[in-house]
């Protein structure tokens, strides 16, 4: 089993206390059927910021925690044991960190002060796991700035955002180096949003239409044509974090399995004495430990400055598939009670189904990333 270093364990304990004091009461509210708003998460968010847990991967010179990947994954794993995790602030595109002048004053400074919220719009209808190849949203320059036309879909956190960072093609050729990033204010008349309900109680993404959406020159973030590279730079850590999320949820499900199996009596004895139940619990524990060891070992490689892109894709794939199996076993052990939204299990059953699709579908990662790496 993988053992975290003492300093990392101290960070995890800090997260555990914030989750216990602020997030678990929210989980109880959600399980009672109460609708939570972004404001409900603010006390936990502020507690995390006061504890130095803001901008987990943001450089320290910008006020961020600047944690190593190992430390970030430990934070994510602990945080995601709760159905209503801390919503950490300070997550930003790498390209935004380096802006200067008016761009810094308009986009970076408000973000660093946590007075503004943003969302990202990359995926398009028909794009899926090939966002660069299928990207057709385009921006053309004129005497007043840029005009954006196109459509995006499956955009998360739009409701809570003040502006959208949209990726659009700025060259004629369908190449990744012809994609740029633009900041579009939410009230821009050329931006039209349609909510798209998803699996999970209250989960909504948005489809965005850009119809002659005008922005000025300052709204082009970073170098023209470097937008997709910026998105890719952020993707590998995200894939690691998806695996850490899977581990946190799986660990909580495992703990719920053990507790329920010991307490629930059926056919003259506790469920924990039934061989089939023991097998499900042991299988879950083994899978969790295997992926935890793999994840942190690969994260150490990344922290040493070595290329871990293949490992990121592998972990995203196996982690998202593992958590689905563990949640399913937990529901099976809980019986009908596991199928109600009065426990976290049904929520996670819905939510984690999508984890095998976003940020690289399992099939794409298996055949276009891992197989290509192994066979070339």
């Amino acid at each position: 089993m993988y053992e975290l270093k003492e300093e990392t364990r101290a960070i995890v304990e800090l997260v555990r206390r914030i989750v216990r004091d602020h997030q678990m009461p929210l989980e109880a509210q959600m399980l009672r059927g109460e609708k939570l708003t972004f404001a409900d998460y603010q006390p936990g968010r502020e507690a995390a910021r006061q504890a130095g847990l803001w901008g987990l991967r943001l450089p320290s010179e910008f006020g961020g925690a600047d944690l190593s990947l190992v430390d970030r994954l430990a934070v994510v794993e602990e945080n995601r044991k709760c159905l209503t995790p801390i919503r950490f602030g300070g997550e930003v595109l790498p390209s935004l960190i380096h802006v200067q002048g008016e761009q810094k004053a308009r986009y970076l400074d408000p973000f660093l002060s946590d007075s503004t919220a943003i969302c990202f719009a990359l995926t398009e209808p028909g794009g899926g796991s090939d966002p660069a190849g299928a990207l057709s949203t385009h921006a053309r320059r004129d005497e007043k700035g840029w005009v954006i036309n196109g459509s995006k879909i499956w955009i998360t956190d739009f409701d809570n955002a003040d502006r959208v960072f949209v990726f659009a093609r700025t060259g004629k050729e369908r190449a990744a180096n012809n994609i740029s990033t633009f900041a579009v204010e939410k009230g821009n008349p050329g931006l039209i949003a349609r909510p798209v309900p998803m699996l999970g109680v209250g989960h909504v993404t948005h489809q965005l239409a850009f119809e002659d959406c005008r922005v000025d020159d300052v709204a082009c973030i970073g170098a023209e044509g470097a937008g997709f590279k910026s998105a890719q730079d952020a993707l590998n850590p995200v894939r690691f974090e998806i695996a850490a999320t899977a581990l946190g949820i799986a660990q909580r499900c495992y703990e719920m399995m053990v507790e329920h199996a010991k307490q629930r009596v059926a056919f003259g004895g506790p469920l924990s004495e039934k061989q089939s139940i023991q097998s499900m619990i042991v299988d879950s524990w083994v899978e969790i430990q295997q992926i935890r060891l793999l994840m942190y070992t690969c994260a150490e490689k990344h922290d040493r400055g070595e290329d871990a892109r293949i490992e990121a894709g592998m972990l995203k794939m196996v982690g998202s598939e593992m958590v689905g199996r563990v949640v399913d076993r937990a529901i099976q052990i809980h019986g009908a009670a596991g199928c109600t939204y009065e426990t976290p299990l049904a929520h996670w059953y819905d939510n984690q189904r999508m984890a095998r699709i976003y940020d690289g579908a399992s099939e794409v990662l298996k055949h276009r990333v891992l197989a290509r790496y192994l066979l070339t």
Side-chain angles (χ1 to χ4, degrees):
M1 294 185 291
Y2 186 88
E3 292 292 335
L4 297 171
K5 294 179 180 179
E6 183 177 353
E7 54 268 31
T8 304
R9 293 200 302 271
I11 298 173
V12 170
E13 181 56 36
L14 188 59
V15 174
R16 184 176 294 127
R17 290 199 299 269
I18 297 172
V19 169
R20 179 197 63 206
D21 295 343
H22 296 279
Q23 308 312 123
M24 291 306 290
L26 295 184
E27 178 179 288
Q29 288 179 242
M30 177 176 282
L31 295 179
R32 290 195 298 267
E34 299 178 26
K35 184 177 181 179
L36 300 179
T37 66
F38 187 75
D40 293 317
Y41 286 85
Q42 286 302 98
R45 184 184 176 99
E46 182 58 27
R49 180 166 188 167
Q50 292 298 320
L53 293 171
W54 189 85
L56 299 185
R57 52 182 166 178
L58 188 68
S60 55
E61 59 263 35
F62 297 101
D66 199 14
L67 298 182
S68 68
L69 182 57
V70 167
D71 286 349
R72 292 203 308 269
L73 297 180
V75 168
V76 171
E77 182 182 353
E78 183 63 33
N79 188 36
R80 288 294 180 160
K81 292 177 183 177
C82 179
L83 182 62
T84 52
I86 304 166
R87 293 189 175 185
F88 294 105
E91 295 301 316
V92 63
L93 278 175
S95 59
L96 190 59
I97 292 296
H98 304 293
V99 298
Q100 299 293 327
E102 188 177 350
Q103 281 192 330
K104 181 177 183 296
R106 186 190 296 184
Y107 301 121
L108 182 60
D109 291 345
F111 179 83
L112 294 177
S113 66
D114 207 23
S115 61
T116 189
I118 59 180
C119 67
F120 304 102
L122 174 62
T123 305
E124 300 190 354
S129 295
D130 183 22
L135 194 145
S136 60
T137 296
H138 62 276
R140 61 176 175 84
R141 190 193 293 271
D142 66 10
E143 68 280 359
K144 296 180 180 179
W146 294 88
V147 182
I148 306 171
N149 282 279
S151 181
K152 302 291 182 178
I153 200 165
W154 320 129
I155 308 308
T156 58
D157 288 330
F158 178 80
D159 279 336
N160 302 316
D162 301 301
R163 56 176 57 102
V164 181
F165 278 54
V166 56
F167 297 83
R169 199 172 295 283
T170 48
K172 294 182 179 180
E173 296 181 7
R174 285 187 171 272
N177 61 1
N178 280 330
I179 297 173
S180 303
T181 310
F182 296 89
V184 178
E185 302 302 316
K186 197 170 179 179
N188 190 307
L191 170 59
I192 303 167
R194 178 181 73 87
V196 182
M198 305 293 286
L199 278 173
V201 177
H203 282 215
V204 175
T205 64
H206 280 78
Q207 181 170 9
L208 307 181
F210 298 86
E211 299 181 357
D212 290 333
C213 180
R214 287 193 166 273
V215 297
D216 60 21
D217 284 328
V218 178
C220 183
I221 305 299
E224 184 178 335
F228 189 70
K229 182 181 184 304
S230 176
Q232 287 295 98
D233 288 344
L235 181 59
N236 288 328
V238 166
R239 285 175 171 172
F240 271 103
E241 289 172 11
I242 291 172
T245 294
L247 279 171
I249 293 170
Q251 179 65 31
R252 175 85 180 279
C253 289
Y254 163 76
E255 293 167 1
M256 291 176 68
M257 281 189 241
V258 171
E259 181 180 6
H260 184 77
K262 289 179 177 179
Q263 294 179 353
R264 179 74 163 90
V265 175
F267 301 102
L271 288 180
S272 58
E273 295 180 355
K274 316 302 180 187
Q275 186 174 359
S276 59
I277 301 300
Q278 292 173 354
S279 294
M280 284 191 281
I281 291 173
V282 170
D283 287 346
S284 297
W285 182 85
V286 169
E287 287 193 73
I288 291 169
Q289 299 308 321
Q290 287 175 330
I291 292 181
R292 179 176 286 126
L293 175 61
L294 181 63
M295 182 184 75
Y296 284 112
T297 301
C298 294
E300 288 177 347
K301 178 180 178 180
H302 176 276
D303 286 339
R304 291 194 300 268
E306 300 175 35
D307 188 352
R309 288 175 296 177
I310 297 299
E311 288 85 348
M314 172 183 64
L315 282 162
K316 193 275 175 182
M317 181 182 73
V318 298
S320 62
E321 294 184 352
M322 174 276 293
V323 70
R325 292 190 295 270
V326 174
V327 174
D328 188 76
R329 293 175 193 136
I331 289 177
Q332 192 70 17
I333 289 175
H334 280 75
C339 297
T340 172
Y341 289 109
E342 293 179 353
T343 76
L345 299 177
H347 293 270
W348 282 325
Y349 188 83
D350 285 348
N351 299 347
Q352 289 310 298
R353 179 59 186 87
M354 292 187 291
R356 287 156 49 195
I357 297 173
Y358 59 73
D359 289 316
S362 292
E363 293 75 16
V364 172
L365 291 172
K366 183 179 295 183
H367 298 294
R368 291 190 60 86
V369 178
L370 298 180
R372 180 179 296 176
Y373 167 73
L374 295 171
L375 297 173
T376 56

